[in-house]
Amino acid sequence: MNEEKKSLNFIEQIVAEDLKNGLDKNDLRFRFPPEPNGYLHIGHAASICLNFGLGLQHNAPVNLRFDDTNPAKEEQEYVDAIKKDVEWLGFKWDKELYSSDYFQQLYDWTIVLIKDGKAYVDEQSSEEIRAQKGTPTEVGVDSPFRNRSVEENLDLFEKMKNGDFDEGSVVLRAKIDMKHNNMHMRDPILYRVLKKSHHRTGTNWCIFPMYDWTHGESDYIEQISHSFCTLEFKSHRELYDWYLDRVVSSENIRPKQREFARRNLSYTVMSKRKLLQLVENRIVNGWDDPRMPTISGLRRRGYTSESIRNFSDVSGISKRDSITDVALLESCIKDHLNKTAPRVMAVLDPIKVIITNYPEGEEEFLDANYNDYEEGFGSRPVPFSRDIYIEREDFREEANKKFFRLKLGKEVRLKNAYIIKAEGCIKDADGTITEIHCTYDADSKSGSGSEASKRKVKGTLHWVSVKHAVKAEVRLYDRLFSDEDPDGHKDKNFLEFVNPNSLEVVTAFVEPSLKFVKVGERFQFQRKGYFCVDDDATNENLVFNRTVPLRDSWVKVEKK
Ligand code: ATP
Ligand code: MG
């Protein structure tokens, strides 16, 4: 028990503390409140894992609440994508809810606020309102409309609701204190006029409540015990509480807002607004482009939900803003795929090798394990013949002793097959090598038990038989940004740091066992990395995404 307590993050500790102080376990209720104005990203995954994780730990319900108060930016497409992503991550929400479902209740409460003299209609422009707001060191100035009568406010607010005012011409403001230390308390806006169709309420409403007014009251309506949000809302907490004070009754749960640090990731940006710019400017091919830090992009890239949840665990929940190294995310997916992905052979930059002493027209099927180090993966037959492809970078005419691959006069082992020796090569007029000629040791077949099969040679290469090879498009991704913190430059826009070489497409040859793979299947291409079958793939037209590269570790493994 003590052990367990030590590992609680500070948010979990807050919940544990509240339970200790008498909060009934049955009153625990959490929510994840995305605004459907874009696809979810890996930052949201932190919040999802936190809230749904608490739900699982305490066997408490977690609502999925769409915070949809801005019809200008929100769409059904985003709602659907968000649901798919949360489900894919492996979480189940209790209720699917929408802030827009509470528009009537919020309106009714607003009428009470006006009647209590706590809200007024302001007919100034947004510039004027902003100018009167003051600064952290200077108090604000009262609006000339601040002391309107309750009747006048009720009448004007009714007109706002009926669409009698143009967008931007009036707002309803809470009447709090223009001299308040906390700028958010200086008569914040409650409602604005927006004459846009809302994805759920259509044209029923042309006044829309602001985030602060909506969020806390939605928490209250749903009887959320803990409302966790990111640090930028810390200074809003006072307003959150002021608004709650207007509506709570003592027999109900009073939601508690607490804040944690946003998750940021190096070499990317993490705001839906910015990600939308990448999509709209066609810098990427959509929200689910495998270079995007979106959950849908990571999924298409080949990330597993387990690896993303594990990343959330190891990166933790923190009180202070920081940037998490993307290498940590990459190590989480490598760890998972290392244990789960079958290992196969694919040549990404092929050069032809002719094994001159192997009989022409002959072929044989070699038994190859999907994983040499773990049980339970099984094996498949891999065809071998006189002409094979290897990687161009795996051959040199001459090289020093550290080059444990193929060079003239030296031997290497072909994975699952024979030892070959390079005898010569053919070049075109430009001096580019077009063909390598080798001989093979017919007794050295892997696993045959012969003396020669046990012979140690320094390097092992992957290969694919030319006659049996299947062509595939392989998409090699690099970081989308060349800067560690593209968003962190005062004088430069993040788009200036877009890496122009973030996608390289090559035509590869893969072993024939991959001919009938399915979209989303994941493999290790030996010595090359982890790859996933792209959504665009068909059996006639294979497409693989590189999830993450792999260090060439065979040399070390085989040496020990
Ligand atoms: P963005 O700036 O990317 O649009 P947002 O905060 O506006 O993010 P919301 O849809 O409002 O996005 O966020 C839903 C929930 O996810 C909120 O509780 C928010 O605090 C949380 N969240 C958003 N971004 C992050 C992040 N980078 N790290 C952790 N939690 C986040
Ligand atoms: Mg938001």
Side-chain angles (χ1 to χ4, degrees):
M1 188 67 197
N2 256 343
E3 278 288 307
E4 237 175 69
K5 266 201 176 143
K6 254 187 236 151
S7 65
L8 295 185
N9 66 44
F10 82 98
I11 291 287
E12 292 166 338
Q13 277 169 19
I14 289 171
V15 174
E17 196 69 13
D18 286 342
L19 289 172
K20 213 173 83 191
N21 292 336
L23 177 68
D24 187 340
K25 186 179 168 313
N26 296 316
D27 287 337
L28 284 179
R29 187 179 286 273
F30 308 97
R31 91 287 174 259
F32 171 63
E35 183 182 354
N37 62 344
Y39 283 55
L40 297 179
H41 50 60
I42 185 81
H44 291 113
S47 173
I48 294 171
C49 291
L50 177 69
N51 285 297
F52 283 95
L54 282 163
L56 289 170
Q57 278 165 40
H58 297 285
N59 199 15
V62 185
N63 290 343
L64 175 61
R65 184 203 311 144
F66 291 97
D67 203 353
D68 56 346
T69 55
N70 185 358
K73 294 192 175 151
E74 296 157 4
E75 288 173 28
Q76 186 61 37
E77 176 198 344
Y78 298 139
V79 169
D80 297 338
I82 288 169
K83 282 163 64 178
K84 183 175 171 186
D85 287 347
V86 175
E87 260 172 352
W88 178 75
L89 282 173
F91 296 112
K92 286 203 172 65
W93 53 84
D94 184 47
K95 297 196 182 82
E96 175 185 333
L97 299 165
Y98 295 81
S99 296
S100 56
D101 292 341
Y102 311 138
F103 282 172
Q104 185 61 44
Q105 172 69 78
L106 288 166
Y107 177 81
D108 294 344
W109 274 330
T110 305
I111 297 296
V112 177
L113 273 184
I114 296 175
K115 286 184 176 163
D116 287 349
K118 299 226 181 290
Y120 62 96
V121 173
D122 195 337
E123 285 168 73
Q124 299 182 100
S125 68
S126 55
E127 291 76 34
E128 285 168 312
I129 293 175
R130 208 175 305 124
Q132 289 166 356
K133 190 121 204 215
T135 65
T137 53
E138 253 176 88
V139 296
V141 176
D142 286 0
S143 159
F145 299 102
R146 194 169 198 264
N147 293 316
R148 291 190 132 130
S149 69
V150 167
E151 289 67 36
E152 203 182 349
N153 280 318
L154 285 173
D155 177 54
L156 288 169
F157 188 51
E158 175 77 13
K159 290 199 165 102
M160 275 173 74
K161 178 177 175 256
N162 292 340
D164 297 345
F165 289 105
D166 289 337
E167 273 190 26
S169 62
V170 282
V171 289
L172 184 80
R173 297 175 72 179
K175 192 170 174 179
I176 308 181
D177 181 1
M178 288 306 289
K179 299 185 181 65
H180 205 287
N181 288 339
N182 182 339
M183 301 266 293
H184 295 292
M185 300 295 276
R186 295 182 188 171
D187 292 8
I189 295 171
L190 283 158
Y191 276 91
R192 66 229 196 270
V193 174
L194 282 175
K195 294 191 171 166
K196 300 222 165 48
S197 174
H198 182 278
H199 71 110
R200 285 177 71 81
T201 61
T203 51
N204 292 353
W205 294 90
C206 61
I207 49 169
F208 288 91
M210 299 298 288
Y211 173 86
D212 287 306
W213 174 233
T214 314
H215 202 84
E217 316 315 282
S218 302
D219 286 341
Y220 180 64
I221 292 168
E222 293 174 18
Q223 286 290 282
I224 299 301
S225 58
H226 295 82
S227 178
F228 296 118
C229 60
T230 38
L231 278 180
E232 70 273 22
F233 291 104
K234 193 166 189 136
S235 57
H236 296 236
R237 198 205 285 177
E238 202 170 2
L239 181 57
Y240 180 97
D241 282 327
W242 191 91
Y243 282 149
L244 277 184
D245 286 338
R246 311 277 79 76
V247 304
V248 311
S249 83
S250 57
E251 65 269 21
N252 289 333
I253 290 289
R254 182 189 171 102
K256 183 173 188 173
Q257 176 186 306
R258 287 295 178 271
E259 310 81 16
F260 62 97
R262 266 179 184 266
R263 175 188 290 157
N264 300 302
L265 201 60
S266 62
Y267 293 98
T268 193
V269 293
M270 199 92 86
S271 127
K272 283 178 282 185
R273 198 170 53 77
K274 294 193 170 118
L275 297 175
L276 178 64
Q277 286 182 53
L278 294 170
V279 174
E280 285 183 337
N281 295 336
R282 297 187 178 274
I283 292 165
V284 295
N285 302 315
W287 285 96
D288 69 344
D289 186 299
R291 290 165 291 181
M292 290 280 267
T294 51
I295 294 176
S296 48
L298 290 166
R299 174 169 61 234
R300 189 161 176 184
R301 176 94 173 233
Y303 276 75
T304 58
S305 49
E306 288 90 334
S307 69
I308 293 177
R309 291 206 308 267
N310 186 34
F311 172 65
S312 278
D313 270 355
V314 296
S315 55
I317 292 291
S318 119
K319 285 186 184 169
R320 249 178 253 148
D321 280 318
S322 63
I323 299 183
T324 304
D325 192 340
V326 67
L328 185 62
L329 177 64
E330 289 167 355
S331 79
C332 289
I333 187 61
K334 276 191 228 178
D335 275 358
H336 192 223
L337 293 178
N338 180 42
K339 291 188 215 117
T340 54
R343 300 174 186 194
V344 295
M345 296 199 284
V347 176
L348 305 190
D349 181 19
I351 184 164
K352 197 169 171 183
V353 172
I354 299 176
I355 301 162
T356 52
N357 60 340
Y358 193 88
E360 236 167 301
E362 202 166 300
E363 63 181 23
E364 63 187 299
F365 287 82
L366 306 165
D367 187 43
N369 291 328
Y370 278 119
N371 185 325
D372 285 337
Y373 309 97
E374 302 268 347
E375 298 286 318
F377 278 81
S379 65
R380 79 288 182 194
V382 173
F384 185 78
S385 66
R386 189 172 194 262
D387 297 351
I388 60 167
Y389 291 121
I390 64 167
E391 299 288 346
R392 182 168 284 278
E393 64 172 15
D394 282 340
F395 174 72
R396 288 195 203 154
E397 288 179 88
E398 278 175 49
N400 65 23
K401 280 194 181 143
K402 288 191 183 131
F403 185 77
F404 296 135
R405 301 181 237 175
L406 191 60
K407 55 187 165 189
L408 284 182
K410 299 286 180 200
E411 290 184 324
V412 289
R413 174 168 289 284
L414 295 175
K415 180 74 183 163
N416 305 309
Y418 298 95
I419 293 172
I420 58 169
K421 181 175 171 189
E423 309 284 0
C425 60
I426 293 178
K427 295 179 188 170
D428 65 14
D430 301 331
T432 308
I433 298 170
T434 54
E435 221 173 78
I436 304 162
H437 290 183
C438 292
T439 51
Y440 85 121
D441 175 351
D443 287 335
S444 65
K445 184 153 112 186
S446 291
S448 67
S450 70
E451 278 310 304
S453 75
K454 293 177 197 148
R455 199 145 63 74
K456 294 270 182 239
V457 286
K458 284 243 166 78
T460 303
L461 304 185
H462 62 279
W463 54 275
V464 176
S465 161
V466 171
K467 191 167 99 186
H468 306 88
V470 178
K471 240 190 203 168
E473 175 180 329
V474 175
R475 300 175 184 170
L476 304 169
Y477 300 101
D478 197 351
R479 298 196 164 136
L480 189 51
F481 294 93
S482 52
D483 191 86
E484 201 175 345
D485 185 12
D487 220 0
H489 300 261
K490 279 206 189 80
D491 49 337
K492 285 196 172 135
N493 184 295
F494 74 101
L495 292 174
E496 291 183 45
F497 298 101
V498 168
N499 171 9
N501 304 315
S502 59
L503 171 60
E504 186 193 349
V505 180
V506 300
T507 303
F509 287 110
V510 304
E511 60 169 77
S513 73
L514 295 175
K515 181 132 180 61
F516 298 107
V517 291
K518 293 190 194 69
V519 166
E521 271 191 276
R522 303 176 182 90
F523 297 92
Q524 184 192 105
F525 287 177
Q526 288 177 306
R527 297 175 67 233
K528 286 284 139 193
Y530 293 101
F531 292 77
C532 165
V533 183
D534 187 71
D535 294 4
D536 289 344
T538 62
N539 286 134
E540 289 69 49
N541 210 345
L542 288 176
V543 184
F544 290 94
N545 293 318
R546 183 171 66 193
T547 309
V548 65
L550 180 85
R551 284 266 191 76
D552 181 350
S553 55
W554 278 2
V555 175
K556 269 183 272 155
V557 171
E558 303 243 330
K559 254 170 43 179
K560 61 172 189 203

